Amino acid sequence: MSDPLDDLFWKEEILQIIFWYLGEGLGSSVSAADLRPFLDAEPDLVKAQLARLTHEGYLTDVGERRYTLTDLGRHEGGRLFGDEFDGLTKQAHGECNDPNCACKTLGPEACEAQHHEHAH
């Protein structure tokens, strides 16, 4: 029987890493071996957690022991990643690529990105 706190820890770690990995275009799916450089865990533990997350609906087994995020996994992984790296992922308003953005004329506090998404 596994420890629920350990399972929660591994769920959060693995979903964040897969969300980042796929988002960076490093692949369309991951294997336990792909995750090992980012996790301090034995291969069997990583494989067991991938199987558990698949059973719980966060991952889809796409064959050959490779996994991708389900809609639930993408939502949860994105939320966890956002929470973890919130302070590091915000861009400066001087980098706004939209010449029509209010931040160019009215200042950063008027940036339309705070209300609507546009390229920064």
Side-chain angles (χ1 to χ4, degrees):
M1 190 101 164
S2 61
D3 180 333
L5 289 178
D6 284 345
D7 286 346
L8 180 62
F9 170 81
W10 288 116
K11 173 183 141 184
E12 291 182 355
E13 290 294 301
I14 290 170
L15 290 179
Q16 285 182 67
I17 292 168
I18 295 174
F19 180 83
W20 169 82
Y21 189 96
L22 299 177
E24 289 296 316
L26 299 175
S28 59
S29 62
V30 298
S31 67
D34 294 329
L35 299 177
R36 290 272 298 127
F38 307 104
L39 298 170
D40 184 20
E42 295 296 320
D44 288 342
L45 174 68
V46 175
K47 290 175 188 174
Q49 292 298 324
L50 289 170
R52 183 179 65 79
L53 292 171
T54 300
H55 178 74
E56 292 178 0
Y58 295 101
L59 302 176
T60 297
D61 184 339
V62 295
E64 299 182 20
R65 298 179 198 209
R66 298 195 64 80
Y67 303 85
T68 194
L69 296 168
T70 62
D71 288 341
L72 175 63
R74 189 174 358 278
H75 175 77
E76 187 68 6
R79 183 188 66 76
L80 291 164
F81 184 85
D83 289 349
E84 184 76 22
F85 296 100
D86 184 49
L88 299 174
T89 57
K90 293 190 181 358
Q91 293 199 350
H93 283 81
E95 298 175 5
C96 186
N97 294 327
D98 183 354
N100 299 316
C101 180
C103 69
K104 297 289 188 186
T105 57
L106 301 174
E109 64 279 352
C111 185
E112 295 166 8
Q114 292 180 12
H115 307 290
H116 305 289
E117 290 187 20
H118 74 268
H120 264 248

